Amino acid sequence: MASDNLRSTVTKVTSNRVPDDAASKPHHVLSGSGKFLKFRNPYDSWNRMHDGSVLPIVFKLIGLRLSGKLGPMPNPGPHSSTVPVRNPTGTFLPSRSGSSQLRATWLGHACYYTEFPSGLRVLFDPVFEDACSPVAVLGPKRFTPPPCSIAQLPFVDAVVISHSHYDHLSSPTVQEIHKHHPNAHFFVGLGLAKWFHKSGIKNVTELDWWEDAELTLTPATTKDSKSLRLSASDSETQPIRGRFSCLPAQHSSGRTAFDKDTTLWASWAVASGATPQTSKSVFFGGDTGYRAVPESIPSGDDYAPEHQNLPVCPEFAKIGQLRGPFDLGLLPIGAYNPRFLMSSVHANPFDAVEIFRDTKCRKAMGIHWGTWQLTYEETLEPPSLLREALKRRGIPETGVFDVCDIGETREF
């Protein structure tokens, strides 16, 4: 682990690039007296089945299995070689300079490690545990190992958390990050800061949708400032800045049977650069649905011409219009079958391509697959369907919206 003793400060900032209804906060559920109760998805693209307990969904799955309409969940086995895993430690930049490109390394599932040309280092939705569950012996087991350890990440300045589900937020991983990168700052949705405070972590900022914060890194001492030099002159140094934007997603939250939707789920944008010309930006979809598909539509057929008019989540077009374009989108493509049950909360590759277009990402990488078998599609189906979805939209099947090996680094 590299260390340069940077001092970080976070300031909430305002933006005029917000939709007209942002101030009314339609995703907040209030009591008659105006007291906050929880969050919701205020869209026609949302299936209300997901508003209450998960038990109806579990019972539906059991019924489908018993009736023979749903086969067994694919089981690639622990540490399967189905999805290649590389050790990325030799590709991480050892200092905060050395590349004019945005560099992104997939660490499995929704986790990406991003190295900005400005020197900023951001980790998205890190979970390094074997199981993603409150009870490890019962939860899904990894079928691909983490490609490296947290201690092997050279710098971690910020950690972005999309929501509280166990495959996106892990207590052991958070503690390990805090141990090896004690100055790392966590950016989370409303309501989640309390969880971090109880874990002994104070470097946390929570935001609502369409709110922004700026992280500034400055050298703690003159001696340490060499790693921050961004100009030709040896006598000049500049702070590193990153703008973190909490943006909408269509999903849910909860870690127990008693806290469903009491913390906010979100997508995120991160931008960093000394000038507008050198700035690079990432849109992180995290975990999201796009359109609710009714049970009456056969599985795999919901993008046929006769189903084109199903309502879609309107927020992604707003994100593209108000905050795009983005140099890189990290977009979910897995955990979508059975489609009528999962479509509200999990995008399939066809949805992901529409989100890519809506948000005006220049390039994208597929996330939320290849690590845990969470639903019933075949393990390698998401990349295959992604190529089909790109072809349908007239987008090249490689080089624009790709998948990669776990541990692989791409430049943008």
Side-chain angles (χ1 to χ4, degrees), residues 15 50 89 111 167 187 194 216 249 315 322 375 379 398-399:
S15 173
H50 291 275
T89 54
C111 182
D167 56 326
F187 291 88
K194 183 188 298 184
T216 303
E315 300 295 338
L322 295 167
T375 50
T379 305
T398 59

Side-chain angles (χ1 to χ4, degrees), residues 3-7 96 155 183 218-229 237-238 240:
S3 175
D4 50 8
N5 297 319
L6 298 187
R7 180 175 59 250
R96 291 181 180 273
F155 309 94
N183 294 326
T218 54
T221 66
T222 303
K223 179 182 70 173
D224 294 317
S225 65
K226 289 184 179 180
S227 63
L228 285 175
R229 296 195 185 280
T237 63
Q238 285 183 284
I240 296 173

Side-chain angles (χ1 to χ4, degrees), residues 18-55:
V18 298
D20 294 338
D21 64 349
S24 66
K25 301 188 183 303
H27 57 295
H28 288 215
V29 177
L30 306 178
S31 68
S33 62
K35 180 180 179 181
F36 169 76
L37 296 177
K38 63 176 185 176
F39 299 99
R40 70 186 184 107
N41 293 282
Y43 321 116
D44 292 338
S45 56
W46 175 250
N47 185 339
R48 305 301 169 194
M49 176 186 294
H50 291 275
D51 282 339
S53 167
V54 298
L55 289 178

Side-chain angles (χ1 to χ4, degrees), residues 32-97:
S33 62
K35 180 180 179 181
F36 169 76
L37 296 177
K38 63 176 185 176
F39 299 99
R40 70 186 184 107
N41 293 282
Y43 321 116
D44 292 338
S45 56
W46 175 250
N47 185 339
R48 305 301 169 194
M49 176 186 294
H50 291 275
D51 282 339
S53 167
V54 298
L55 289 178
I57 298 172
V58 172
F59 291 149
K60 187 70 175 178
L61 286 172
I62 293 172
L64 290 171
R65 287 292 307 277
L66 293 176
S67 69
K69 295 180 180 178
L70 188 66
M73 184 179 291
N75 181 16
H79 291 189
S80 165
S81 59
T82 304
V83 181
V85 179
R86 308 182 185 185
N87 186 323
T89 54
T91 64
F92 295 141
L93 295 176
S95 71
R96 291 181 180 273
S97 59

Side-chain angles (χ1 to χ4, degrees), residues 299-311:
S299 179
D301 195 39
D302 57 275
Y303 271 97
E306 62 268 29
H307 306 310
Q308 291 295 306
N309 293 326
L310 288 178

Side-chain angles (χ1 to χ4, degrees), residues 349-365:
F350 288 89
D351 297 328
V353 169
E354 299 309 302
I355 293 171
F356 169 76
R357 298 173 73 246
D358 285 354
T359 53
K360 300 182 180 179
C361 295
R362 296 186 177 99
K363 297 291 180 68
M365 299 299 295

